[in-house]
Amino acid sequence: MSSRRRSGCGCILMMPAMTTDPAANSTPEDTGTPRHFIQQAIDEDIASGRWGVPGDGSVVQTRFPPEPNGYLHIGHAKAICLNFGLAEEFGGACNLRFDDTNPAKEEQEYVDSITADVRWLGFEPAGGVRFASDYFDRMYAWAEELIQKGLAYVDDQTADEIRAGRGSLKEPGTNSPFRDRDPAESLDLFRRMKTGEFPDGSRVLRAKIDMASPNINLRDPVMYRVLNQPHHRTGDEWHIYPMYDWAHGLEDSIEGVTHSICTLEFEAHRPLYDWFIDAINQDRGPSSKWGEQIHHPQQIEFSRFVLDYTNMSKRYMKQLVDEGRVEGWDDPRMLTVSGLRRRGYTPQSIRELARESGATKFNALTDHAKLENAIRGHLNKVAPRRMCVLDPLKVTLESWPEGEVDWVDAVNNPEDESAGTRKVPFSGTLYIERADFMEEAPKKFFRLKPGGEVRLRYGYWITCKDVIKNDDGEVIELICTHDPETRGGDSPPPNADGKVRKVKGTLHWVSAEHAVPVEVRQFDRLYSAPRPGKKTDNHLDDLNPDSLDVLSGAMAEPALAEVGSDEPSWGDGVRRFQFERHGYFCIDQQRTDAGDRPVFNRTVTLKDSWAKATGGTPKKG
């Protein structure tokens, strides 16, 4: 049978931590902030005592249940923030439980990466990492119980026959010829399926519900399929594996989950979620041979988080990786959590995005700018400033004393006075951005031009006296003078008439003698269409050919080569900066092919350059 079971998940609004005493919890009336519908549902559960006494740890138990068949993306990050955030808010707990029920696609690498992502985002799973495979024995025993109750049967039909027999939205399904198989025979076959007696796909275990149900999910769904595939945790022990719809609710039940939060595509699966648990609880009780009834969690659905200009399918992401269209799952252009981390995003910015994005019951496309604004907002407050010239043009100051170096003071972060200042060397040979000079400049060009004067930030005012070109007519050097009375970039003293000379242009720069060669990698959106593949049904047709621009000749101030006292402790080993006038960048620890040069990845521009280039935020569609 097919092993396809489910798709990704998303997340919603996180609120500040709250006490579990409902009388003390904030309300819309006393804060002015409306609470989303899941918070309201939990408020009602607490008030009614549905899950126990507030404060005993059982009132809110959530879980994040990823399938270890790929790396997590930004939608999963929001789901993590939701599940762990609600547990924090209500004094409960959240489990990290891997849905490792499909060994054909699962790898330990994915388990490790997902666990690291959860912890990087700032959450610690309750009771350590858990796996669906931890519960295989119990789920199998419950399946035998349903067979004996006449609520499940072994079906010998092929996958195509079962699919055809399910009917359609307009037509009911048809009963399998094996639907009325004797429970003893089904039990015998099921046990032989478990020991590996049958080939892949030859038999399945199906629930006996209603082949005429208007909900197709209830038309005798498959519970187990034969799959003679070694498991990364259980080895060759199992030759059958549970389907997600069967395993999901049982795992939640075992773990005592109170609120099983899923995305909207699972809303039609909720009756099946409930049916499986009710079927197990049928005829159970204090004197029953089956034992006591099992815990019945509550499933709640919400809309997925989807960004425009982004691919949110792990299958398509894997295709990009397998075909070498990106460097790997952690390529900074990928919207995986590891890719965002490598690009310089912070866990705080992603959590803030989760808080701001809100909760709805309607699927919608989210503007990519919201993700970028979240990281801008955080890094603007905390990232130390540095100067880096991406496309250097040599400037020689003919007025500068030969061999002299002036160490000027530069502000580390104007948003944080406690970050202090640093010393930056200023010498007679400098680099400025090539784009900051124009030989035939228009009237409103306020940067450097022949005869023009500009301020070098923290340095001096300089005036262009001459332009040197190579044999091809390209400008290779500027001969300038400096004004010694403008040290620090300040305006010079008034002249004899009391007037103060002014300039409109301020440029960044680096001392050529002290410059550190670096490689800078500038990233744009991986796709050039809001909904990749919408027009052609192939997301590859919308890949952005200009998503990566590598600048191998950039020059940076020497402070970038050393860890400064102004750099915050991020806790993840990533060094992040604002390159003045360019954007926010981080050192890429994964790149080793640039020799001794540090490699910097651009996290985000200072402003939304995409919207400016396209004439505004693109319309959805």
Side-chain angles (χ1 to χ4, degrees):
M1 293 298 296
S2 170
S3 59
R4 177 98 175 145
R5 301 182 307 290
R6 63 188 178 100
S7 58
C9 48
C11 180
I12 59 174
L13 183 67
M14 273 178 46
M15 302 296 289
M18 303 171 63
T19 173
T20 53
D21 178 2
N25 284 346
S26 299
T27 65
E29 290 73 25
D30 59 34
T31 67
T33 302
R35 294 172 64 69
H36 59 68
F37 68 96
I38 297 182
Q39 289 171 315
Q40 293 174 8
I42 296 176
D43 288 339
E44 294 174 1
D45 290 342
I46 291 174
S48 68
R50 176 177 183 178
W51 300 112
V53 179
D56 69 358
S58 65
V59 175
V60 176
Q61 172 70 58
T62 60
R63 84 290 176 266
F64 175 62
E67 184 179 4
N69 62 352
Y71 282 50
L72 298 185
H73 55 58
I74 185 65
H76 298 112
K78 289 205 63 181
I80 293 169
C81 293
L82 166 65
N83 284 287
F84 282 90
L86 287 172
E88 284 184 356
E89 176 182 342
F90 290 97
C94 181
N95 298 340
L96 169 60
R97 180 220 307 146
F98 285 95
D99 172 37
D100 57 339
T101 57
N102 185 17
K105 295 185 177 181
E106 297 161 1
E107 298 179 18
Q108 186 62 40
E109 173 190 354
Y110 301 140
V111 172
D112 295 340
S113 70
I114 291 170
T115 304
D117 289 345
V118 170
R119 289 179 169 141
W120 178 74
L121 284 169
F123 302 108
E124 186 60 34
V129 178
R130 303 164 189 252
F131 296 85
S133 54
D134 294 336
Y135 315 131
F136 278 177
D137 286 327
R138 296 173 74 175
M139 286 190 280
Y140 175 82
W142 283 326
E144 285 201 352
E145 179 178 332
L146 261 57
I147 293 173
Q148 295 176 66
K149 288 179 177 179
L151 298 177
Y153 62 97
V154 171
D155 194 340
D156 297 356
Q157 292 184 105
T158 67
D160 290 340
E161 290 171 337
I162 292 175
R163 190 178 300 111
R166 293 184 72 192
S168 67
L169 293 175
K170 296 181 179 180
E171 297 179 348
T174 56
N175 287 349
S176 164
F178 304 97
R179 195 172 195 266
D180 295 324
R181 183 173 244 158
D182 185 88
E185 181 183 0
S186 283
L187 186 60
D188 174 67
L189 288 171
F190 188 52
R191 290 172 176 173
R192 291 160 63 191
M193 288 164 58
K194 177 181 180 293
T195 59
E197 187 172 328
F198 304 114
D200 291 356
S202 58
R203 284 182 168 86
V204 297
L205 180 69
R206 298 178 68 178
K208 185 185 291 188
I209 307 180
D210 182 4
M211 291 301 294
S213 172
N215 186 336
I216 294 181
N217 294 300
L218 296 178
R219 296 180 186 177
D220 291 12
V222 174
M223 298 165 57
Y224 280 89
R225 77 283 197 196
V226 175
L227 183 61
N228 297 289
Q229 178 82 29
H231 189 281
H232 68 99
R233 296 188 72 242
T234 61
D236 295 323
E237 180 181 356
W238 293 90
H239 296 267
I240 55 171
Y241 291 95
M243 302 301 290
Y244 182 75
D245 279 330
W246 165 250
H248 178 203
L250 305 188
E251 294 157 9
D252 288 348
S253 176
I254 292 169
E255 295 179 359
V257 169
T258 56
H259 301 84
S260 181
I261 302 169
C262 305
T263 43
L264 283 178
E265 61 264 36
F266 290 101
E267 187 169 25
H269 294 249
R270 192 195 326 146
L272 182 56
Y273 181 101
D274 293 332
W275 187 92
F276 279 133
I277 296 176
D278 289 340
I280 293 172
N281 282 334
Q282 180 178 314
D283 300 328
R284 279 178 167 257
S287 59
S288 170
K289 67 174 182 177
W290 306 114
E292 296 285 353
Q293 293 197 344
I294 66 173
H295 170 70
H296 194 147
Q298 172 188 10
Q299 179 175 305
I300 303 175
E301 306 85 18
F302 65 100
S303 59
R304 299 175 63 198
F305 177 72
V306 182
L307 283 175
D308 57 9
Y309 295 93
T310 301
N311 168 21
M312 306 291 278
S313 163
K314 281 197 291 186
R315 180 166 61 92
Y316 290 157
M317 287 184 172
K318 189 175 188 301
Q319 181 185 7
L320 294 175
V321 174
D322 292 345
E323 294 182 2
R325 297 177 184 271
V326 293
E327 294 179 356
W329 285 97
D330 67 345
D331 188 305
R333 293 168 294 178
M334 296 273 275
L335 268 290
T336 58
V337 176
S338 56
L340 290 168
R341 179 167 61 244
R342 185 176 168 191
R343 187 162 173 168
Y345 275 76
T346 63
Q348 294 92 332
S349 66
I350 294 175
R351 292 179 70 157
E352 177 63 15
L353 175 67
R355 189 193 69 80
E356 288 186 346
S357 294
T360 71
K361 277 279 191 178
F362 306 97
N363 287 322
L365 203 59
T366 300
D367 193 332
H368 203 105
K370 289 188 176 181
L371 172 65
E372 296 172 344
N373 288 337
I375 187 62
R376 283 193 192 99
H378 185 216
L379 291 182
N380 180 56
K381 298 176 182 177
V382 297
R385 274 53 167 173
R386 298 290 187 263
M387 291 190 289
C388 181
V389 177
L390 304 185
D391 186 12
L393 175 61
K394 183 179 179 181
V395 172
T396 298
L397 301 179
E398 61 180 7
S399 60
W400 190 261
E402 184 176 355
E404 183 174 315
V405 177
D406 186 6
W407 291 83
V408 298
D409 292 319
V411 175
N412 285 324
N413 189 340
E415 303 291 328
D416 180 8
E417 291 185 4
S418 66
T421 61
R422 66 189 185 282
K423 295 291 186 179
V424 180
F426 190 99
S427 66
T429 304
L430 310 169
Y431 291 125
I432 65 169
E433 293 289 351
R434 186 170 297 275
D436 282 339
F437 173 78
M438 186 175 291
E439 192 170 11
E440 297 181 4
K443 184 176 181 180
K444 292 187 177 182
F445 184 79
F446 298 123
R447 287 169 278 176
L448 196 57
K449 55 189 175 183
E453 187 175 34
V454 296
R455 174 190 292 107
L456 297 185
R457 187 163 173 80
Y458 308 121
Y460 294 83
W461 292 20
I462 65 171
T463 302
C464 180
K465 297 298 186 181
D466 197 9
V467 179
I468 298 177
K469 301 179 181 180
N470 61 16
D471 294 340
D472 295 326
E474 298 173 333
V475 176
I476 59 173
E477 185 178 358
L478 304 178
I479 305 300
C480 301
T481 59
H482 79 291
D483 184 345
E485 294 187 319
T486 60
R487 186 180 187 275
D490 296 332
S491 298
N495 59 20
D497 297 329
K499 296 182 178 180
V500 177
R501 193 167 83 255
K502 297 181 180 180
V503 293
K504 292 186 177 180
T506 299
L507 310 182
H508 67 280
W509 53 274
V510 295
S511 168
E513 177 185 348
H514 305 85
V516 176
V518 298
E519 179 180 296
V520 174
R521 294 160 60 82
Q522 299 190 119
F523 301 101
D524 207 335
R525 297 176 187 182
L526 187 58
Y527 293 94
S528 56
R531 291 187 174 182
K534 181 180 180 182
K535 292 183 178 180
T536 66
D537 291 329
N538 187 348
H539 70 109
L540 299 178
D541 293 337
D542 291 321
L543 283 175
N544 179 8
D546 300 317
S547 62
L548 172 61
D549 182 22
V550 179
L551 305 175
S552 57
M555 294 291 182
E557 66 169 273
L560 275 172
E562 303 173 356
V563 178
S565 59
D566 60 304
E567 294 182 33
S569 176
W570 302 98
D572 58 6
V574 180
R575 297 179 64 200
R576 301 172 175 89
F577 306 92
Q578 183 196 103
F579 287 179
E580 299 204 22
R581 300 178 64 217
H582 286 305
Y584 296 96
F585 294 76
C586 72
I587 293 182
D588 190 341
Q589 303 292 349
Q590 306 300 319
R591 299 287 302 188
T592 58
D593 57 357
D596 295 333
R597 290 176 300 167
V599 176
F600 287 87
N601 293 332
R602 185 174 70 187
T603 305
V604 68
T605 56
L606 292 178
K607 297 181 179 180
D608 188 355
S609 57
W610 181 277
K612 181 178 180 180
T614 56
T617 302
K619 294 181 179 180
K620 308 299 183 292

